[in-house]
Amino acid sequence: MPRLSVALAVLCAAVALPPSLIAQNIHPVPSPEVRAVPLQGTFKLDGRLDDPVWQTAPAATGLRQSQPHSGDPATQRTEVRFAFDEAAIYVGARMYDDSSARGVRTRLVRRDADMHSDYLEVIFDTYHDHIGRLFFQVNPSGVKYDANGLGGGGDPSWDPVWEVQANIDSLGWTAEMRIPFSQLRYPNTSEEQTWGLQIWRQENRLNELSQWAWWGLDETGGPPRFGHLRGLVIRHAPGRAEVMPYVVGRSANVPGNQSDPFFDPHALDGRVGGDATLRVTSNLTLNATVNPDFGQVEVDPAVVNLSAFETFFDEKRPFFVEGAGYFGLGGLSCFFCSNVSSMSMLATRRIGRPPQINPFRNGLSIPVAYADMPENSTILGAAKLTGRTQSGWSIGALDGITRREQAPVQLTDSTRGQFTVEPMTNYFASRVAKDLRGGATQIKAMATSVYRDLGDPYVASRLSHHAEAFGIATDSWWNKRTIHLMAQLAGTDVAGDTAAMRRIRFGSAHFFQRPDRSDTADARRPRTSMQGLGGYARMAKESGHWLWEVSTNFRTPAYNNNDIAFFSRADYWWMGANIFLIWTKPTKWYRQLYLIAGGQQQYNFDGDRNDRQVQTFAQLQTLSYWWLTGFWIYRPSVLDDRLTRGGPVVKRPGFNYFNVGVQTDSRKKIAGNFNADRSCNSDGDCDHSFSVSLKLQPRSNVAVSLGPSISHSETGFQFVGSYDDPSYALFYGKRYVFAHLTQNSVSMDTRLNVTFSPTLTLELFMQPLIASGQFARYNEFAAPRSSRRLEYGRDFGTFITTPNADPTQPARILLDADTDTLSGSPTYRFQDPTFTFRSLRGNAVLRWEWRPTHPRARKAPGPTEGVENKSTKAAPGLTLRPPAQGREINQDGPPAFAPSSLAFKKTVGLRSTSCFSEGVAKNAPPSCLSDEHAGMGLPVSSVPCPPASVADGAMLKIVA
């Protein structure tokens, strides 16, 4: 295990860096400051800035350009002032425009959408830990954007209750915000507080983005570079309680098998559930959910996946998305990398997942004829506690329970019963993080657990009984936040019945049954548990004209946390490095230019090199604000220990991959994005794809986007299956069959967004998809560790196709290697896997947000006793970090890819979701066929489409 020892040494050295290497000064340059004042006198939230408090409060001014002329003073003056009372913080902003109201650019869009207009963004680092932040943004039409980045990142699904009014006048435009303290998290103290503060302004007419606390495009930014908001005194933390119940009714009208007793062509069903939030203290929040509704979110896109691995879909349920930053171990970062996975410790879509056990059980004396499979496991309840302690510990704890799911079945003799398809399961995850040296170093520890109440022996033979994981990590900056180190180490334990463990160990993540392993006998012996180790480390220079990075990533052969995380494979040690050059000063040829060159390689723990590549990348912003992008990847021929799905190692051919992209100026009424790629391997098989994203903005409140795409791919080694041939010692008594697969797909993503007001929007989405796959030229590899292949019927053996008597059904195929002419050699028979897949998915969502809130006009109390009232002035398997643009969320680093206030927020959603899918001509795609395009392009197993449905839901959010 020499490579593991080296990787562990790197991680241990990273964690044990001497304190002298850590940044002592969290602010490399002096930070600007502004002071918030107590709100006195009358106040009316109308966006006009004519209240007395705005005449006395000091202003944050002096913004500097981030783009297009980094470092120059902003061409348009901006003044932002802050005030507070016992219940809220207030923001008053004046955005001057030298073209008066004519220069203001605005649009009506839904909340949290890309505005493509002028905007003002105010960001608070409320804990002043130089890590987390809360985002509040508004445009001249009063459209809101907000995101929760406490714990790192930024989650736009967070929708706090706050008010804003904007107004356009002869001087430009103005905005007033009222953000209740009940919606924020901050230190639990009655002393004066200092918050980190950043202010961004986008002047769309000039394409000018300016910032208050400035850093260069080639510097690392974010909360450590924020300015300071001083003077806040919050004597009594307001209470906070929220309840968001939902009721959903659904009607499904789909064609189906009329002989199926469980089929209802006009099915009706309904669901109820809800989310609740309780503010324990000003810095700790408890969230709970019962039966969270998948219908609240947009339907997953249709995908054709012929690989051995499942398709990853993003979490969209609000309960699980909010506060996700408190449950990460650190993630993966790179300037340019491909086919590498992060140290994922939690994928919350595992909670409430579709049942895993097929109700059509094998080995029954009377087989199952029909079954009614539940769509998802029901979440009986889930709760999480998130926040930050006074001593600087960030904590996150999540626990959820799903009920036992049973599928009604009818046997072939017409008797009925029920089979368990998913056991009752408890999911737990917890993470703690400690900030050191002003946020320059953060250490983290995370633990997860899955426990199943199996009961049924059949279920116990297919699923693990329990699984645990524990990880530690560090994230450190030094040399004035120029050098960045990330290091993570995690261990896993999975236990269960010997049959269940065999299924896990012989699955696509491990393939312990591979006959040419160095530890074959030990790998195949019966086990009731297995333990593994994984790690990741990266060191990089992330500020300056030229940047660099080196990184490593490994998983031992028995590492597995797939029960609670998204995990695709173990048994690898990956390493990569890149050099990144940046030019951010505009010239007569371009505005910005980025160049990357680097490479990566990977070995398994037997020492086989199964990945190697070199790459170059270039991106340029033209003087007309278009982006031009291109990159090239070359991979030589390398060994592949996954291609035979548990068989011996073979070799795949090398290839060249090219990609080009063009993005037009997004400010225009017609904006587009074009991408094209092409790759060819040394066998002559070529892939290419083209996609266009066209956005039309005919009116300030209407946006239409069209996204047609077309792709063609070829591979000569698409896995089909295997069969026994005891005489074939070269491949250890088995034959592994492959085919030449030609795939074509056409799709069109279509969206229509109409915004009637900042609180009333209509969204329509539709995605038609047609995909086909033609299998031909069935073949085998000539020998292990060889890329040469032999074709049935041409180079050896026999290939026979027998048409089906029913022309709508697939033909039968027979393969015979003709190795035993006396007793007859084994044959392999299967249906022609050629397929055509058609899908139509869409949904419609009408959102209305209504809030009879805090009175708009009020008489503020006098100065709070003891409050100082002093005014002072002040990447397809590919990961790319694109140039930083727009919001602060993307601006952290260098360009790279009292009494309770009562409020009500009502969101009424009228949602219609429909879906149609059909496997046509020949057969539906087989579930375990792999598109081996080295991780590039669209992976191609058929993802079932839910029935066509119409769902009407009403959600009421009450905030106290």
PDB file of all heavy atoms in Angstrom, residues 323-353:
ATOM      1  N   GLY A 323     -29.599  25.797   4.447  1.00  0.00           N
ATOM      2  CA  GLY A 323     -28.579  25.465   5.433  1.00  0.00           C
ATOM      3  C   GLY A 323     -27.672  24.333   5.031  1.00  0.00           C
ATOM      4  O   GLY A 323     -26.974  23.758   5.874  1.00  0.00           O
ATOM      5  N   ALA A 324     -27.625  24.006   3.736  1.00  0.00           N
ATOM      6  CA  ALA A 324     -26.780  22.895   3.287  1.00  0.00           C
ATOM      7  C   ALA A 324     -25.307  23.149   3.559  1.00  0.00           C
ATOM      8  O   ALA A 324     -24.517  22.204   3.676  1.00  0.00           O
ATOM      9  CB  ALA A 324     -27.008  22.639   1.788  1.00  0.00           C
ATOM     10  N   GLY A 325     -24.904  24.422   3.683  1.00  0.00           N
ATOM     11  CA  GLY A 325     -23.510  24.744   3.950  1.00  0.00           C
ATOM     12  C   GLY A 325     -23.010  24.241   5.286  1.00  0.00           C
ATOM     13  O   GLY A 325     -21.798  24.154   5.502  1.00  0.00           O
ATOM     14  N   TYR A 326     -23.924  23.895   6.186  1.00  0.00           N
ATOM     15  CA  TYR A 326     -23.519  23.369   7.488  1.00  0.00           C
ATOM     16  C   TYR A 326     -23.251  21.867   7.456  1.00  0.00           C
ATOM     17  O   TYR A 326     -22.923  21.281   8.490  1.00  0.00           O
ATOM     18  CB  TYR A 326     -24.610  23.646   8.524  1.00  0.00           C
ATOM     19  CG  TYR A 326     -24.683  25.090   8.955  1.00  0.00           C
ATOM     20  CD1 TYR A 326     -25.611  25.963   8.392  1.00  0.00           C
ATOM     21  CD2 TYR A 326     -23.818  25.586   9.918  1.00  0.00           C
ATOM     22  CE1 TYR A 326     -25.684  27.286   8.788  1.00  0.00           C
ATOM     23  CE2 TYR A 326     -23.882  26.917  10.324  1.00  0.00           C
ATOM     24  CZ  TYR A 326     -24.818  27.760   9.754  1.00  0.00           C
ATOM     25  OH  TYR A 326     -24.872  29.071  10.141  1.00  0.00           O
ATOM     26  N   PHE A 327     -23.384  21.235   6.290  1.00  0.00           N
ATOM     27  CA  PHE A 327     -23.248  19.779   6.214  1.00  0.00           C
ATOM     28  C   PHE A 327     -22.229  19.339   5.175  1.00  0.00           C
ATOM     29  O   PHE A 327     -22.336  18.266   4.612  1.00  0.00           O
ATOM     30  CB  PHE A 327     -24.617  19.143   5.915  1.00  0.00           C
ATOM     31  CG  PHE A 327     -25.619  19.335   7.016  1.00  0.00           C
ATOM     32  CD1 PHE A 327     -26.519  20.388   6.977  1.00  0.00           C
ATOM     33  CD2 PHE A 327     -25.643  18.480   8.092  1.00  0.00           C
ATOM     34  CE1 PHE A 327     -27.435  20.575   7.992  1.00  0.00           C
ATOM     35  CE2 PHE A 327     -26.562  18.658   9.120  1.00  0.00           C
ATOM     36  CZ  PHE A 327     -27.459  19.712   9.068  1.00  0.00           C
ATOM     37  N   GLY A 328     -21.249  20.155   4.897  1.00  0.00           N
ATOM     38  CA  GLY A 328     -20.214  19.794   3.942  1.00  0.00           C
ATOM     39  C   GLY A 328     -18.872  19.621   4.619  1.00  0.00           C
ATOM     40  O   GLY A 328     -18.542  20.338   5.569  1.00  0.00           O
ATOM     41  N   LEU A 329     -18.086  18.686   4.113  1.00  0.00           N
ATOM     42  CA  LEU A 329     -16.759  18.471   4.665  1.00  0.00           C
ATOM     43  C   LEU A 329     -15.724  19.351   3.982  1.00  0.00           C
ATOM     44  O   LEU A 329     -14.647  19.569   4.511  1.00  0.00           O
ATOM     45  CB  LEU A 329     -16.364  16.998   4.534  1.00  0.00           C
ATOM     46  CG  LEU A 329     -15.164  16.532   5.351  1.00  0.00           C
ATOM     47  CD1 LEU A 329     -15.432  16.738   6.844  1.00  0.00           C
ATOM     48  CD2 LEU A 329     -14.840  15.072   5.065  1.00  0.00           C
ATOM     49  N   GLY A 330     -16.041  19.852   2.797  1.00  0.00           N
ATOM     50  CA  GLY A 330     -15.076  20.727   2.137  1.00  0.00           C
ATOM     51  C   GLY A 330     -15.184  20.774   0.632  1.00  0.00           C
ATOM     52  O   GLY A 330     -14.783  21.737   0.003  1.00  0.00           O
ATOM     53  N   GLY A 331     -15.696  19.718   0.014  1.00  0.00           N
ATOM     54  CA  GLY A 331     -15.857  19.737  -1.425  1.00  0.00           C
ATOM     55  C   GLY A 331     -14.543  19.586  -2.171  1.00  0.00           C
ATOM     56  O   GLY A 331     -13.487  19.324  -1.591  1.00  0.00           O
ATOM     57  N   LEU A 332     -14.616  19.770  -3.473  1.00  0.00           N
ATOM     58  CA  LEU A 332     -13.464  19.642  -4.361  1.00  0.00           C
ATOM     59  C   LEU A 332     -13.331  20.920  -5.164  1.00  0.00           C
ATOM     60  O   LEU A 332     -14.316  21.480  -5.628  1.00  0.00           O
ATOM     61  CB  LEU A 332     -13.631  18.437  -5.284  1.00  0.00           C
ATOM     62  CG  LEU A 332     -12.513  18.157  -6.281  1.00  0.00           C
ATOM     63  CD1 LEU A 332     -12.314  16.655  -6.450  1.00  0.00           C
ATOM     64  CD2 LEU A 332     -12.820  18.773  -7.655  1.00  0.00           C
ATOM     65  N   SER A 333     -12.102  21.388  -5.339  1.00  0.00           N
ATOM     66  CA  SER A 333     -11.858  22.603  -6.097  1.00  0.00           C
ATOM     67  C   SER A 333     -10.757  22.345  -7.108  1.00  0.00           C
ATOM     68  O   SER A 333      -9.782  21.647  -6.809  1.00  0.00           O
ATOM     69  CB  SER A 333     -11.455  23.740  -5.157  1.00  0.00           C
ATOM     70  OG  SER A 333     -11.178  24.923  -5.876  1.00  0.00           O
ATOM     71  N   CYS A 334     -10.922  22.878  -8.300  1.00  0.00           N
ATOM     72  CA  CYS A 334      -9.853  22.771  -9.301  1.00  0.00           C
ATOM     73  C   CYS A 334     -10.058  23.851 -10.349  1.00  0.00           C
ATOM     74  O   CYS A 334     -11.173  24.310 -10.582  1.00  0.00           O
ATOM     75  CB  CYS A 334      -9.833  21.389  -9.952  1.00  0.00           C
ATOM     76  SG  CYS A 334     -11.247  21.032 -11.013  1.00  0.00           S
ATOM     77  N   PHE A 335      -8.978  24.281 -10.963  1.00  0.00           N
ATOM     78  CA  PHE A 335      -9.074  25.194 -12.091  1.00  0.00           C
ATOM     79  C   PHE A 335      -9.593  24.467 -13.330  1.00  0.00           C
ATOM     80  O   PHE A 335     -10.359  25.016 -14.116  1.00  0.00           O
ATOM     81  CB  PHE A 335      -7.712  25.820 -12.394  1.00  0.00           C
ATOM     82  CG  PHE A 335      -7.148  26.628 -11.273  1.00  0.00           C
ATOM     83  CD1 PHE A 335      -5.799  26.558 -10.961  1.00  0.00           C
ATOM     84  CD2 PHE A 335      -7.958  27.469 -10.531  1.00  0.00           C
ATOM     85  CE1 PHE A 335      -5.261  27.309  -9.925  1.00  0.00           C
ATOM     86  CE2 PHE A 335      -7.435  28.230  -9.495  1.00  0.00           C
ATOM     87  CZ  PHE A 335      -6.076  28.142  -9.187  1.00  0.00           C
ATOM     88  N   PHE A 336      -9.140  23.224 -13.511  1.00  0.00           N
ATOM     89  CA  PHE A 336      -9.581  22.405 -14.640  1.00  0.00           C
ATOM     90  C   PHE A 336      -9.324  20.952 -14.252  1.00  0.00           C
ATOM     91  O   PHE A 336      -8.183  20.585 -13.936  1.00  0.00           O
ATOM     92  CB  PHE A 336      -8.795  22.751 -15.903  1.00  0.00           C
ATOM     93  CG  PHE A 336      -9.344  22.141 -17.177  1.00  0.00           C
ATOM     94  CD1 PHE A 336      -9.874  22.944 -18.166  1.00  0.00           C
ATOM     95  CD2 PHE A 336      -9.323  20.766 -17.380  1.00  0.00           C
ATOM     96  CE1 PHE A 336     -10.373  22.389 -19.347  1.00  0.00           C
ATOM     97  CE2 PHE A 336      -9.820  20.208 -18.542  1.00  0.00           C
ATOM     98  CZ  PHE A 336     -10.345  21.021 -19.539  1.00  0.00           C
ATOM     99  N   CYS A 337     -10.363  20.127 -14.259  1.00  0.00           N
ATOM    100  CA  CYS A 337     -10.202  18.705 -13.966  1.00  0.00           C
ATOM    101  C   CYS A 337     -11.396  17.953 -14.534  1.00  0.00           C
ATOM    102  O   CYS A 337     -12.434  18.542 -14.827  1.00  0.00           O
ATOM    103  CB  CYS A 337     -10.071  18.439 -12.462  1.00  0.00           C
ATOM    104  SG  CYS A 337     -11.406  19.104 -11.441  1.00  0.00           S
ATOM    105  N   SER A 338     -11.239  16.645 -14.707  1.00  0.00           N
ATOM    106  CA  SER A 338     -12.323  15.829 -15.229  1.00  0.00           C
ATOM    107  C   SER A 338     -12.271  14.446 -14.599  1.00  0.00           C
ATOM    108  O   SER A 338     -11.209  13.972 -14.187  1.00  0.00           O
ATOM    109  CB  SER A 338     -12.248  15.710 -16.759  1.00  0.00           C
ATOM    110  OG  SER A 338     -11.050  15.079 -17.155  1.00  0.00           O
ATOM    111  N   ASN A 339     -13.452  13.813 -14.538  1.00  0.00           N
ATOM    112  CA  ASN A 339     -13.553  12.447 -14.010  1.00  0.00           C
ATOM    113  C   ASN A 339     -12.958  12.312 -12.615  1.00  0.00           C
ATOM    114  O   ASN A 339     -12.200  11.385 -12.339  1.00  0.00           O
ATOM    115  CB  ASN A 339     -12.883  11.439 -14.955  1.00  0.00           C
ATOM    116  CG  ASN A 339     -13.707  11.211 -16.201  1.00  0.00           C
ATOM    117  OD1 ASN A 339     -14.839  11.683 -16.293  1.00  0.00           O
ATOM    118  ND2 ASN A 339     -13.145  10.508 -17.161  1.00  0.00           N
ATOM    119  N   VAL A 340     -13.299  13.233 -11.740  1.00  0.00           N
ATOM    120  CA  VAL A 340     -12.846  13.158 -10.354  1.00  0.00           C
ATOM    121  C   VAL A 340     -14.002  13.580  -9.460  1.00  0.00           C
ATOM    122  O   VAL A 340     -14.780  14.467  -9.822  1.00  0.00           O
ATOM    123  CB  VAL A 340     -11.603  14.049 -10.132  1.00  0.00           C
ATOM    124  CG1 VAL A 340     -11.896  15.495 -10.456  1.00  0.00           C
ATOM    125  CG2 VAL A 340     -11.084  13.911  -8.716  1.00  0.00           C
ATOM    126  N   SER A 341     -14.152  12.911  -8.314  1.00  0.00           N
ATOM    127  CA  SER A 341     -15.295  13.133  -7.432  1.00  0.00           C
ATOM    128  C   SER A 341     -14.857  13.775  -6.130  1.00  0.00           C
ATOM    129  O   SER A 341     -13.761  13.516  -5.627  1.00  0.00           O
ATOM    130  CB  SER A 341     -15.996  11.803  -7.121  1.00  0.00           C
ATOM    131  OG  SER A 341     -16.456  11.172  -8.299  1.00  0.00           O
ATOM    132  N   SER A 342     -15.733  14.588  -5.574  1.00  0.00           N
ATOM    133  CA  SER A 342     -15.460  15.210  -4.286  1.00  0.00           C
ATOM    134  C   SER A 342     -15.679  14.206  -3.155  1.00  0.00           C
ATOM    135  O   SER A 342     -16.277  13.141  -3.348  1.00  0.00           O
ATOM    136  CB  SER A 342     -16.379  16.416  -4.077  1.00  0.00           C
ATOM    137  OG  SER A 342     -17.723  15.985  -3.957  1.00  0.00           O
ATOM    138  N   MET A 343     -15.190  14.561  -1.981  1.00  0.00           N
ATOM    139  CA  MET A 343     -15.372  13.739  -0.792  1.00  0.00           C
ATOM    140  C   MET A 343     -16.773  14.002  -0.240  1.00  0.00           C
ATOM    141  O   MET A 343     -16.959  14.589   0.821  1.00  0.00           O
ATOM    142  CB  MET A 343     -14.303  14.063   0.240  1.00  0.00           C
ATOM    143  CG  MET A 343     -14.361  13.212   1.499  1.00  0.00           C
ATOM    144  SD  MET A 343     -13.864  11.523   1.248  1.00  0.00           S
ATOM    145  CE  MET A 343     -12.102  11.743   1.036  1.00  0.00           C
ATOM    146  N   SER A 344     -17.788  13.569  -0.992  1.00  0.00           N
ATOM    147  CA  SER A 344     -19.178  13.803  -0.592  1.00  0.00           C
ATOM    148  C   SER A 344     -19.514  12.950   0.624  1.00  0.00           C
ATOM    149  O   SER A 344     -19.290  11.740   0.633  1.00  0.00           O
ATOM    150  CB  SER A 344     -20.108  13.461  -1.753  1.00  0.00           C
ATOM    151  OG  SER A 344     -21.456  13.500  -1.340  1.00  0.00           O
ATOM    152  N   MET A 345     -20.060  13.585   1.645  1.00  0.00           N
ATOM    153  CA  MET A 345     -20.444  12.872   2.864  1.00  0.00           C
ATOM    154  C   MET A 345     -21.952  12.796   3.041  1.00  0.00           C
ATOM    155  O   MET A 345     -22.444  12.016   3.856  1.00  0.00           O
ATOM    156  CB  MET A 345     -19.833  13.566   4.084  1.00  0.00           C
ATOM    157  CG  MET A 345     -18.322  13.491   4.167  1.00  0.00           C
ATOM    158  SD  MET A 345     -17.728  11.847   4.611  1.00  0.00           S
ATOM    159  CE  MET A 345     -18.113  11.817   6.352  1.00  0.00           C
ATOM    160  N   LEU A 346     -22.708  13.607   2.278  1.00  0.00           N
ATOM    161  CA  LEU A 346     -24.162  13.618   2.442  1.00  0.00           C
ATOM    162  C   LEU A 346     -24.828  14.037   1.144  1.00  0.00           C
ATOM    163  O   LEU A 346     -24.488  15.065   0.572  1.00  0.00           O
ATOM    164  CB  LEU A 346     -24.571  14.588   3.561  1.00  0.00           C
ATOM    165  CG  LEU A 346     -26.069  14.770   3.801  1.00  0.00           C
ATOM    166  CD1 LEU A 346     -26.695  13.470   4.282  1.00  0.00           C
ATOM    167  CD2 LEU A 346     -26.327  15.895   4.792  1.00  0.00           C
ATOM    168  N   ALA A 347     -25.748  13.208   0.667  1.00  0.00           N
ATOM    169  CA  ALA A 347     -26.634  13.553  -0.449  1.00  0.00           C
ATOM    170  C   ALA A 347     -28.057  13.356   0.058  1.00  0.00           C
ATOM    171  O   ALA A 347     -28.524  12.225   0.204  1.00  0.00           O
ATOM    172  CB  ALA A 347     -26.357  12.677  -1.662  1.00  0.00           C
ATOM    173  N   THR A 348     -28.733  14.450   0.375  1.00  0.00           N
ATOM    174  CA  THR A 348     -30.019  14.342   1.067  1.00  0.00           C
ATOM    175  C   THR A 348     -31.122  13.737   0.213  1.00  0.00           C
ATOM    176  O   THR A 348     -32.166  13.363   0.742  1.00  0.00           O
ATOM    177  CB  THR A 348     -30.471  15.727   1.575  1.00  0.00           C
ATOM    178  OG1 THR A 348     -30.423  16.665   0.495  1.00  0.00           O
ATOM    179  CG2 THR A 348     -29.561  16.205   2.691  1.00  0.00           C
ATOM    180  N   ARG A 349     -30.891  13.582  -1.098  1.00  0.00           N
ATOM    181  CA  ARG A 349     -31.913  12.900  -1.902  1.00  0.00           C
ATOM    182  C   ARG A 349     -31.972  11.415  -1.578  1.00  0.00           C
ATOM    183  O   ARG A 349     -32.889  10.729  -2.016  1.00  0.00           O
ATOM    184  CB  ARG A 349     -31.655  13.127  -3.393  1.00  0.00           C
ATOM    185  CG  ARG A 349     -32.017  14.535  -3.815  1.00  0.00           C
ATOM    186  CD  ARG A 349     -32.114  14.694  -5.311  1.00  0.00           C
ATOM    187  NE  ARG A 349     -33.199  13.943  -5.895  1.00  0.00           N
ATOM    188  CZ  ARG A 349     -33.919  14.348  -6.942  1.00  0.00           C
ATOM    189  NH1 ARG A 349     -33.682  15.525  -7.474  1.00  0.00           N
ATOM    190  NH2 ARG A 349     -34.855  13.613  -7.455  1.00  0.00           N
ATOM    191  N   ARG A 350     -31.017  10.903  -0.819  1.00  0.00           N
ATOM    192  CA  ARG A 350     -31.120   9.538  -0.308  1.00  0.00           C
ATOM    193  C   ARG A 350     -32.272   9.418   0.684  1.00  0.00           C
ATOM    194  O   ARG A 350     -32.820   8.335   0.876  1.00  0.00           O
ATOM    195  CB  ARG A 350     -29.814   9.135   0.381  1.00  0.00           C
ATOM    196  CG  ARG A 350     -28.617   9.041  -0.555  1.00  0.00           C
ATOM    197  CD  ARG A 350     -28.776   7.898  -1.511  1.00  0.00           C
ATOM    198  NE  ARG A 350     -27.546   7.604  -2.223  1.00  0.00           N
ATOM    199  CZ  ARG A 350     -27.469   7.403  -3.533  1.00  0.00           C
ATOM    200  NH1 ARG A 350     -28.564   7.487  -4.279  1.00  0.00           N
ATOM    201  NH2 ARG A 350     -26.326   7.105  -4.104  1.00  0.00           N
ATOM    202  N   ILE A 351     -32.624  10.518   1.346  1.00  0.00           N
ATOM    203  CA  ILE A 351     -33.713  10.519   2.321  1.00  0.00           C
ATOM    204  C   ILE A 351     -35.024  10.712   1.556  1.00  0.00           C
ATOM    205  O   ILE A 351     -35.249  11.758   0.955  1.00  0.00           O
ATOM    206  CB  ILE A 351     -33.525  11.631   3.365  1.00  0.00           C
ATOM    207  CG1 ILE A 351     -32.145  11.523   4.007  1.00  0.00           C
ATOM    208  CG2 ILE A 351     -34.616  11.572   4.429  1.00  0.00           C
ATOM    209  CD1 ILE A 351     -31.811  12.652   4.959  1.00  0.00           C
ATOM    210  N   GLY A 352     -35.861   9.696   1.558  1.00  0.00           N
ATOM    211  CA  GLY A 352     -37.073   9.737   0.736  1.00  0.00           C
ATOM    212  C   GLY A 352     -36.836   9.256  -0.673  1.00  0.00           C
ATOM    213  O   GLY A 352     -37.599   9.588  -1.575  1.00  0.00           O
ATOM    214  N   ARG A 353     -35.796   8.464  -0.881  1.00  0.00           N
ATOM    215  CA  ARG A 353     -35.431   7.988  -2.203  1.00  0.00           C
ATOM    216  C   ARG A 353     -36.487   7.026  -2.751  1.00  0.00           C
ATOM    217  O   ARG A 353     -37.282   6.461  -2.000  1.00  0.00           O
ATOM    218  CB  ARG A 353     -34.084   7.278  -2.139  1.00  0.00           C
ATOM    219  CG  ARG A 353     -34.119   5.993  -1.329  1.00  0.00           C
ATOM    220  CD  ARG A 353     -32.745   5.389  -1.119  1.00  0.00           C
ATOM    221  NE  ARG A 353     -32.077   5.086  -2.379  1.00  0.00           N
ATOM    222  CZ  ARG A 353     -30.800   4.753  -2.493  1.00  0.00           C
ATOM    223  NH1 ARG A 353     -30.044   4.670  -1.396  1.00  0.00           N
ATOM    224  NH2 ARG A 353     -30.274   4.491  -3.651  1.00  0.00           N
TER     225      ARG A 353
END
